[in-house]
């Protein structure tokens, strides 16, 4: 598999963002944590042991700890710096390479990942590892930036660079769409797979406000094939003009899209519902359609 993301650079960006926190820049993680709380609340069972995988902040751990549904929580990060954010309750902490799940087979009841899968080069392999680490009937809940994320920024940067240089280099990583996410869950061997998407639209005074937030999130470009040509102020100024022309509202503010894809799946277990075999129905669809009232 040809890697797309320079994960070492991605982690460097994350460490820089951690060292220079900006108020409010964690809005996507806070939104994801709120959604995680709702989704976990809809699951009517408790979990003995959970792992929170590469979430970079304590937000997911805090949700699990306050839910009252998880007895033991292990937080896994790619750098010890992320474990030292001063939160996370009594969760144990492990440092492991990104894209690894450092647990024995069938040792977890719950695995959670928020807003890091999009930076991994081998998402299918990561999901297979998660599936292997889950006990039978163990649950995986994950969220990542999906297809369409920063589509406005991508379009404006490409247009500006084409004007200036007669061609363009990619500056925004490719993202997985919701249909592929469902297929990846099935490919990993997870049962009852569900994938859905929620688009968060954020408005800014200009492109420069968006870029400031991306830096504060540690989400500036980490593409391996990114342009090595230094980006000039003129390039970004032109991209900002195009952004204003194409993606501004009546009040002059511009929009930025963040589709968040949610995934859930269960490690297979004999207790789970199974779809009926083709041809096993007791009554035909034709009969139902011809007799809607059962007459």
């Amino acid at each position: 598999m040809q890697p797309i993301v320079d994960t070492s650079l991605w982690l460097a960006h994350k460490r820089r963002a951690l060292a220079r926190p900006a108020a409010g820049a964690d809005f996507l993680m806070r939104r994801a944590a709120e959604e995680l709380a709702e989704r976990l609340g809809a699951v009517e069972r408790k979990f003995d042991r959970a792992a929170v995988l590469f979430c970079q902040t304590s937000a997911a751990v805090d949700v699990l700890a306050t839910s009252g549904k998880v007895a033991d929580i292990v937080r896994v990060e790619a750098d010890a710096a992320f474990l030292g954010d001063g939160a996370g309750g009594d969760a144990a902490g492990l440092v492991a390479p990104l894209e690894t799940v450092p647990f024995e087979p069938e040792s977890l009841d719950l695995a959670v990942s928020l807003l890091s899968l999009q930076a991994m080069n081998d998402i299918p392999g990561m999901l297979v590892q998660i599936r292997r680490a889950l006990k039978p009937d163990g649950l995986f809940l994950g969220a990542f930036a999906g297809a369409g994320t920063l589509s406005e920024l991508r379009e404006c940067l490409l247009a500006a660079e084409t004007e200036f240089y007669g061609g363009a280099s990619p500056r925004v990583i490719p993202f997985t769409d919701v249909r592929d996410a469902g297929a990846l869950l099935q490919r990993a061997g997870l049962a009852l797979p569900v994938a859905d998407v929620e688009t968060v639209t954020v408005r800014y005074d200009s492109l420069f406000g968006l870029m400031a937030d991306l830096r504060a999130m540690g989400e500036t470009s980490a593409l391996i094939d990114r342009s090595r040509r230094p980006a000039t102020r003129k390039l970004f100024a032109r991209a900002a003009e195009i952004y204003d022309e194409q993606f501004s509202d009546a009040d002059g503010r511009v929009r930025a899209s963040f589709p968040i894809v949610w995934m859930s799946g269960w490690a297979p277990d004999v207790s789970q519902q199974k779809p009926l075999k083709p041809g096993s129905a007791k009554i035909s669809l034709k009969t139902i359609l011809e007799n809607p009232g059962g007459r």
Side-chain angles (χ1 to χ4, degrees):
M1 179 179 294
Q2 182 69 30
I4 296 172
V5 180
D6 183 339
T7 52
S8 295
L9 181 59
W10 183 77
L11 287 170
H13 289 167
K14 290 293 182 179
R15 285 191 292 268
R16 181 181 63 188
L18 181 66
R20 304 173 187 173
D26 62 343
F27 64 90
L28 281 180
M29 183 60 77
R30 287 188 281 109
R31 180 70 169 261
E34 291 170 3
E35 182 67 19
L36 173 64
E38 289 189 18
R39 291 174 184 253
L40 189 61
V43 179
E44 296 184 355
R45 61 169 288 184
K46 293 189 175 182
F47 304 90
D48 290 332
R49 192 179 190 219
V52 175
L53 303 169
F54 307 110
C55 296
Q56 312 129 53
T57 80
S58 67
V61 170
D62 295 340
V63 168
L64 268 56
T66 58
S67 71
K69 292 189 171 187
V70 184
D72 180 35
I73 306 169
V74 182
R75 181 178 171 188
V76 182
E77 297 290 357
D79 192 304
F82 302 129
L83 295 172
D85 62 1
D90 297 325
L94 290 176
V95 176
L98 194 68
E99 303 193 36
T100 63
V101 179
F103 298 96
E104 294 294 324
E106 299 188 5
S107 61
L108 299 175
D109 301 284
L110 172 66
V112 172
S113 172
L114 296 186
L115 303 185
S116 64
L117 283 171
Q118 75 276 355
M120 298 186 186
N121 288 300
D122 188 7
I123 297 176
M126 185 67 180
L127 293 176
V128 167
Q129 291 181 71
I130 290 171
R131 153 72 183 87
R132 187 180 300 127
L134 288 172
K135 297 177 183 177
D137 208 31
L139 173 63
F140 167 63
L141 288 172
F144 62 91
T149 295
L150 299 174
S151 57
E152 303 90 350
L153 178 63
R154 182 200 303 266
E155 185 174 328
C156 295
L157 287 172
L158 287 174
E161 199 165 10
T162 300
E163 282 186 22
F164 275 59
Y165 306 116
S169 300
R171 292 184 179 272
V172 179
I173 65 173
F175 296 98
T176 303
D177 70 22
V178 66
R179 290 169 297 182
D180 289 338
L184 288 173
L185 289 168
Q186 291 182 312
R187 178 177 168 184
L190 289 160
L192 308 175
V194 176
D196 59 272
V197 62
E198 176 199 21
T199 298
V200 179
T201 302
V202 186
R203 302 201 312 144
Y204 292 92
D205 290 335
S206 71
L207 170 148
F208 297 105
L210 167 61
M211 294 188 67
D213 265 1
L214 293 176
R215 283 192 297 271
M217 294 178 194
E219 289 292 351
T220 48
S221 180
L223 282 166
I224 290 176
D225 291 333
R226 64 192 179 279
S227 174
R228 271 28 181 206
R229 180 191 298 124
T232 65
R233 291 185 179 182
K234 287 185 179 180
L235 175 66
F236 285 118
R238 179 57 184 140
E241 290 176 355
I242 297 171
Y243 214 130
D244 290 340
E245 293 166 3
Q246 297 189 12
F247 300 107
S248 63
D249 293 327
D251 60 0
R253 305 193 80 197
V254 297
R255 303 179 300 277
S257 300
F258 296 91
I260 305 300
V261 174
W262 279 90
M263 312 168 77
S264 67
W266 299 80
D269 185 69
V270 293
S271 66
Q272 293 164 353
Q273 291 182 330
K274 303 291 191 301
L276 293 175
K277 295 180 179 179
S280 63
K282 303 294 185 182
I283 186 171
S284 71
L285 178 61
K286 180 175 182 292
T287 301
I288 294 173
L289 293 176
E290 290 178 348
N291 299 277
R295 298 186 297 273

